[in-house]
Amino acid sequence: MRSFVPAALAALGAACSSTDGPTANNGPQPVNIRFAARVGTATFVCGQNFTGMGTSSSVATPTEFMMYVHDVRLLKADGTETPVTLTVDNKWQVDNVALLDFTAGGTGTACPSASADVNTQVVGTVPAGTYTGVRFVLGLPFAKNHSDQSTATGPLASSRMFWSWNAGYMALRVDMNTTGKPGGWFMHLGSTGCTPSTNATTVPTSCAQPNRGTITLPGFNPATNVIVADLKELTATTNLDVDLGGMPGCMSGTTDPECATLFNAVGLAFNGGAAPTTSAFFRVGTP
């Protein structure tokens, strides 16, 4: 598991107090880690056309945009980590895991697989203090990633995020219709090379490619900043209008030719290659 520190944010910003106050104490203080789905400078809207996407300047219409995060931590200026204790709601959050769903839709909409509900934040508590950064893991912990989805509850009950063929969940799901692929272009990030793989319901005990990345974003104040997840940056070096092999887009397989640039944008090593030092997909922004 690697840590990715965007170069533009290489230095921790000046101390930002989000939980301190005139009467602050060391007891648990509420904190909301807000995420914002964007397409460049535009706000993400499911079913809306976005132009200038990828290397072919495609027109892309997203229909799914979801991700799991876990092990969320706030950072102090000296680099020390403080885990965020998530508020369990049995819908979006359980234990140290949260599901983010940016896709508002439903039957009769441009995003029929989605529901009307969205979740764009991780809610929890931390000890009072001054925090200047955030760190989290994209995806689920192994034990939760490879469990029986049919009996799962809360955020793990989402069938939209489960790979039945691989007996595991996706860490990130992006579905779009593009100019060249009107039937669908996909970025499904998840663990591969998992064994045993006797059949689709066999729960693996290990995976050769876990494909989980630790994202570190300095210069983040939960009171004033959001974590931007940018689809234009994710796809900036990928041609969205051609299929070089497998399903259009990336299904995380080591032989899937479109995965290399997409993994790089997320901040993950691909197929034994070197891990990038930056994650273009995630950045610190303002609401």
Side-chain angles (χ1 to χ4, degrees):
M1 190 178 295
R2 292 285 305 271
S3 177
F4 305 100
V5 182
L9 302 169
L12 287 175
C16 303
S17 176
S18 61
T19 58
D20 284 344
T23 59
N25 53 50
N26 291 326
Q29 306 291 311
V31 63
N32 289 4
I33 311 294
R34 296 171 293 171
F35 285 72
R38 304 233 171 107
V39 186
T41 58
T43 298
F44 169 85
V45 178
C46 194
Q48 180 172 305
N49 294 336
F50 293 96
T51 61
M53 298 289 286
T55 58
S56 60
S57 195
S58 184
V59 177
T61 309
T63 57
E64 289 279 13
F65 189 5
M66 307 171 72
M67 69 180 75
Y68 284 109
V69 298
H70 75 275
D71 201 11
V72 180
R73 292 148 281 173
L74 292 181
L75 308 178
K76 294 188 174 180
D78 63 2
T80 57
E81 301 178 344
T82 298
V84 177
T85 301
L86 302 195
T87 302
V88 174
D89 60 12
N90 292 318
K91 182 174 183 179
W92 302 111
Q93 301 188 169
V94 64
D95 298 331
N96 68 338
V97 164
L99 173 62
L100 300 166
D101 184 353
F102 305 108
T103 313
T107 302
T109 73
C111 302
S113 298
S115 70
D117 294 336
V118 298
N119 181 49
T120 61
Q121 63 182 355
V122 175
V123 179
T125 59
V126 290
T130 299
Y131 300 104
T132 61
V134 64
R135 179 174 291 151
F136 59 92
V137 181
L138 179 63
L140 291 170
F142 186 93
K144 283 185 167 55
N145 198 52
H146 302 286
S147 55
D148 185 355
Q149 187 274 333
S150 66
T151 60
T153 60
L156 302 180
S158 177
S159 60
R160 292 158 59 202
M161 289 293 283
F162 192 74
W163 270 337
S164 59
W165 60 271
N166 197 28
Y169 291 85
M170 290 173 262
L172 168 68
R173 176 175 183 175
V174 177
D175 294 5
M176 301 192 292
N177 300 323
T178 70
T179 303
K181 292 297 171 187
W185 179 97
F186 312 96
M187 171 52 172
H188 292 182
L189 174 64
S191 301
T192 60
C194 300
T195 55
S197 56
T198 308
N199 54 55
T201 60
T202 300
V203 176
T205 56
S206 66
C207 295
Q209 294 85 35
N211 293 335
R212 295 181 188 86
T214 297
I215 308 299
T216 299
L217 297 172
F220 177 81
N221 181 344
T224 57
N225 291 126
V226 297
I227 299 171
V228 175
D230 189 337
L231 293 185
K232 181 160 278 189
E233 291 293 338
L234 174 68
T235 59
T237 57
T238 300
N239 189 330
L240 305 182
D241 293 326
V242 299
D243 178 22
L244 301 177
M247 290 283 288
C250 169
M251 289 286 166
S252 298
T254 57
T255 60
D256 192 328
E258 281 107 329
C259 284
T261 55
L262 292 164
F263 271 52
N264 184 80
V266 172
L268 289 172
F270 176 68
N271 196 20
T277 58
T278 61
S279 172
F281 180 43
F282 292 106
R283 66 175 181 271
V284 173
T286 54

